[in-house]
Amino acid sequence: MSRNIIEVNDLTKKYDELVAVDSISFDVKEGEIFSLVGPNGAGKTTTVEILECLRKPTSGNARVLGHDVKNEDEKIKKKIGVMPQDFNTFERLTAEENIKLMGDLYGSDNVKEIMRKVGVDKFKNKKFDDLSGGMKTKVGIGMTLISNADLLFLDEPTTGLDPHARRETWNLIKDLKKMGKTVFLTTHYMEEVEYLSDRAGILINGKIEVIDSIENLIEEHGGGIKVKVLEDGEAVDIINDRADEVLRGEDTWTGIFDNKKEARQALIKLFQLDAKVEVEEAGMDEVFLRLTGGKIDEGGELV
Amino acid sequence: MKRAFSLFLSLTKNWLRSKSGVFFSILFPIMLLLIFSTVFGGQEAAEYTLHVQNDDLVDGNETELSEEFIEALDSSESLNVKEVDNITEDRQDRSFGSYRALRIEEGFHEQAKNKSIELRMKVIQNTTQYMDEQGEEINLDDFTAESAEIVLMLSEDDQAGPMVKGTVYGVINSFNSRMLGLEEGDTTVDITEESHKERGLHPVDYYLPGFIAAFIMSNGIIGVTSNISEYKRNGVLKRLTATPLKKRDWILANVGQQTVLAFGLTAVMILVAVLIFDAQAYPGPYAIGLIFMGAVAFCSVGIVLGGLIKDVEAASGAGNAIAFPMMFLSGAFIPIETMPDYLQTVARFLPLYYFHQGLREIMILQNPSEALLAYLIIGIFAMIFIVLAIKTTRWKDI
C-alpha cells in the first residue's frame, strides 16, 4: 500500500465573499498520477496553489510530503517541482538558460540530462520567446523536473496546445510516472484525465463531487456499455431482451448495459450469431456529464 | 546568496537582450548628454534676427544718423539686422516663430542731432556751474530738444526677448555716447572681463553628474517598476515564488542588477563626456559609494511601486509620474538658481537634488567633504525604501 504523499482535510479558501475552495478533503498516493478536473473557476488552481504554498488557506489543513502548508513553506518548496498555470519564464533567455536557472535555484546541476529526457536539447539555444507552445511546455516540464523532486505539480500543462503537442506532453507525463514521480495534474480535458491518471477528483464550484480511480469512476458513473447492432433479426432480439435501454437509429439498435456482466453475456450471444456489432465503452466525458449534467468545452467553460 | 546571484545573472541577461531596455537605460541618456552638451556648450554666441523698419528718410534715402544706428545694431554679435519696408506686412507672411522688430521713427536724424546738442550744452552748463561754484561766473541760454524715437517690438512669450532688449539698449547707450562726442574708451568706469575657469570646466561638467543621477533614478523608478509589474502579469514572478528562492534573494538580485547597470551607465557616460567634450570627471571611491547608494535607493522605490501596483500600465504610469517631475524640478538638467524661489524650495525636498549635487561635488569639483549631506540623505532614503521593499513585496497570494 502506497503512502499518502498529500493529505487535504476540510480545506477552504475564500476571496472576500467568494468561496473558491469549499471544505474539500482528499489524498494523493505516492507514485500515482492524480488529476483534479473541473471547468474554469472550479477552484483547481487555488487548490493546487495552496498545496504549492503560493496561497494561504482560509481554514482546514493540508500536508504535503508530511509538512504543513501553512507554516512549512521552505521545506515543501525544496521538495516539490511546480509548473504553474499559463507557465511563463524569462522570454529572452534560451531554453537551456531557463532550465539552468531553475537548477541553480534547486541546487541541481543535471541540466543536460533533463534537457535530453524532455527533448529540449534539440532547441536548447533558442530563446523562450521564439519557441512554439509545445516546445515551451517541454521547457516548463524540464524546469519542473530539474528540481529532482519526487512530487510534481502540473497545473493545466496542455491548455492551448495543438493535438500533436498535447499528445507529446502526455507521453512526457507518462514517462514521469515511470521515473517514479508522483504527479498532481489539473486539467479540464477529460481525454487527458482518462489517458494519464490513476485517480481523479471532479471539482465543481469549489467542491469535490467525486474522487476515485478512473476505472471505478467509469464503472460507477459512466452509464454502462453501449452495444450497437448494425443488422436486423435475431441480434436485435438479444439487445431488446438484455439491454437496460435501447436506442433506435435508422438501421441500428444500440443497447445500453449498466451491468458489465450482462453486456458480456449479450456480446457472447451476438458473436455466436456472427452479428455485426460495435462496442463503445463509456469514458470520463460520460462520467462528467452524468455527474454534473454538463460538458466542458475546449476553453474550459462548463456548457 | 548563490540563488540571488544566479537570478541576478538571469535578470541581467534578459535585460541586455532587450533592445528597448538597453536603448532607454544607456543609449538615450548618452544621446541627451550629447545634445545638451552640444547645444548649451557651444563657443559661439547665439544670433537673433531683428527686423528694422527705417521711417527716417529724406527723398527716399535713409538719413545719416538712422543709417549709422542700423549699422551699430548690425555690428552687435548677437543681432542679425534685416531691414524691411513694413514690419506689419512682413510679419503677416510668417506663420510661426518669434518676430522681433524695431521701427526708427521719422525725424530720428534731426531729433538725435538736436538732442545731442542739448545734452552737450547741459554738459557745458554742468561744467560752468561747477566752475561757478569754484568762483567763476558763466551764463548760457537754455536750449531744449526732443529725443529721437525708436520703437522696439517684442513678443511677451519670446524667451530671447530680454537678450535682444539688452543688446539694443547697449547699442543705444553706445550711440548716445558717440553723439555726445565721446570716442571709444572715453569712460569714467572701465570694465575688465576675467574668466574663472581655473579648473577648465565646460557645460558638460554640469550636465554629466545630473544626467548620471537622473538616469540612475529613472532606471530604478521607471524601469524596475515596469519590470516587476510585468513579471507579475506574465507569471514569471509566480514561477519564481514556487521555487526555494526567497523574497530577500529576489530583492537582492534586482538591486544587484540596478547597481551594475548604474556603474555601467556611469562608466559609459563619463567615457563619452571625456572623449567628446573634454569633461573633467574623476570617478573615485566616494563617487562609487554614492552611486551605489543611489542605485539601491531608487531601485527600492521601483520594487515598492512594482509590488504595490497590480496593473502594468498603472505601474508604468506611476513610475513616470514620479520620475519625470523629479528630473526637471531637482535641477539635474538646469541649475535650480534659474527657477522661481518656490521651485527651488521644492527641489531641496527631492532626493535627486542631493544625489546629483553630491556627485558634482565629488566627481567634478573633487570636494567629497561637501557631499556629506548627500551621503546622509541618500543613505537614509535607501534604508527607508529597502525596508519598505521588503515589507511590500508579496511572496504569497500574488
Side-chain angles (χ1 to χ4, degrees), chain A residues 13 49 53-56 69 73-74 77-78 82 84 87-94 97 101-102 104-106 143, chain B residues 2-3 6-7 10-11 13-15 17-18 231 234-236 238-246 395-398:
Chain A
K13 175 72 180 179
E49 287 186 353
C53 304
L54 299 182
R55 293 191 187 278
K56 282 181 192 162
V69 295
D73 304 29
E74 284 186 25
K77 283 182 179 178
K78 280 179 187 166
V82 172
F87 159 74
N88 207 346
T89 186
F90 292 106
E91 57 191 10
R92 288 181 289 274
L93 295 192
T94 64
E97 285 167 344
L101 167 65
M102 280 296 126
D104 290 342
L105 299 186
Y106 284 96
M143 289 171 73
Chain B
K2 198 190 165 198
R3 290 189 187 115
S6 187
L7 182 62
S10 297
L11 287 170
K13 269 189 212 169
N14 201 51
W15 172 79
R17 289 174 192 167
S18 157
Y231 287 143
N234 67 15
V236 172
K238 186 184 270 186
R239 180 72 195 87
L240 292 171
T241 59
T243 70
L245 188 81
K246 294 186 174 72
W395 219 237
K396 246 185 185 180
D397 288 307
I398 294 171

Side-chain angles (χ1 to χ4, degrees), chain A residues 7-196:
Chain A
E7 290 171 330
V8 176
N9 289 304
D10 212 16
L11 195 71
T12 297
K13 175 72 180 179
K14 290 180 185 172
Y15 298 106
D16 299 322
E17 295 303 305
L18 176 77
V19 183
V21 175
D22 193 358
S23 302
I24 62 170
S25 300
F26 63 93
D27 52 49
V28 176
K29 299 185 189 318
E30 190 174 23
E32 72 173 349
I33 297 181
F34 177 86
S35 290
L36 201 55
V37 57
N40 294 341
K44 303 186 300 289
T45 296
T46 301
T47 304
V48 84
E49 287 186 353
I50 291 171
L51 299 177
E52 292 164 355
C53 304
L54 299 182
R55 293 191 187 278
K56 282 181 192 162
T58 307
S59 64
N61 59 66
R63 296 186 80 79
V64 173
L65 296 155
H67 303 294
D68 189 343
V69 295
K70 283 182 192 161
N71 47 35
E72 293 182 282
D73 304 29
E74 284 186 25
K75 286 177 185 169
I76 292 172
K77 283 182 179 178
K78 280 179 187 166
K79 292 181 180 178
I80 61 170
V82 172
M83 183 170 163
Q85 189 182 29
D86 301 324
F87 159 74
N88 207 346
T89 186
F90 292 106
E91 57 191 10
R92 288 181 289 274
L93 295 192
T94 64
E96 182 175 18
E97 285 167 344
N98 271 302
I99 294 176
K100 186 177 180 312
L101 167 65
M102 280 296 126
D104 290 342
L105 299 186
Y106 284 96
S108 166
D109 59 2
N110 51 341
V111 178
K112 284 189 177 143
E113 185 195 338
I114 295 295
M115 285 198 301
R116 190 178 44 74
K117 269 184 187 169
V118 297
V120 169
D121 49 352
K122 298 175 196 105
F123 52 86
K124 63 179 183 180
N125 293 322
K126 272 193 162 186
K127 283 182 198 164
F128 184 77
D129 206 26
D130 298 335
L131 301 178
S132 67
M135 289 169 167
K136 284 181 176 176
T137 303
K138 284 182 181 177
V139 174
I141 292 177
M143 289 171 73
T144 309
L145 263 184
I146 194 95
S147 62
N148 287 332
D150 290 327
L151 172 60
L152 308 177
F153 290 93
L154 308 179
D155 191 2
E156 305 209 13
T158 62
T159 300
L161 296 186
D162 62 63
H164 175 71
R166 191 174 292 166
R167 183 64 66 172
E168 275 196 334
T169 307
W170 288 357
N171 292 337
L172 264 177
I173 295 171
K174 282 267 187 198
D175 288 343
L176 298 179
K177 183 178 163 73
K178 285 180 199 158
M179 290 177 209
K181 310 285 185 191
T182 305
V183 178
F184 188 111
L185 183 73
T186 66
T187 182
H188 58 255
Y189 298 122
M190 294 303 156
E191 196 187 355
E192 187 166 292
V193 177
E194 205 173 317
Y195 182 74
L196 292 174

Side-chain angles (χ1 to χ4, degrees), chain B residues 42-63:
Chain B
Q43 298 299 309
E44 289 177 15
E47 198 174 62
Y48 305 100
T49 301
L50 182 68
H51 300 84
V52 176
Q53 176 185 325
N54 190 353
D55 288 350
D56 192 30
L57 306 171
V58 175
D59 300 332
N61 297 318
E62 291 179 342
T63 57

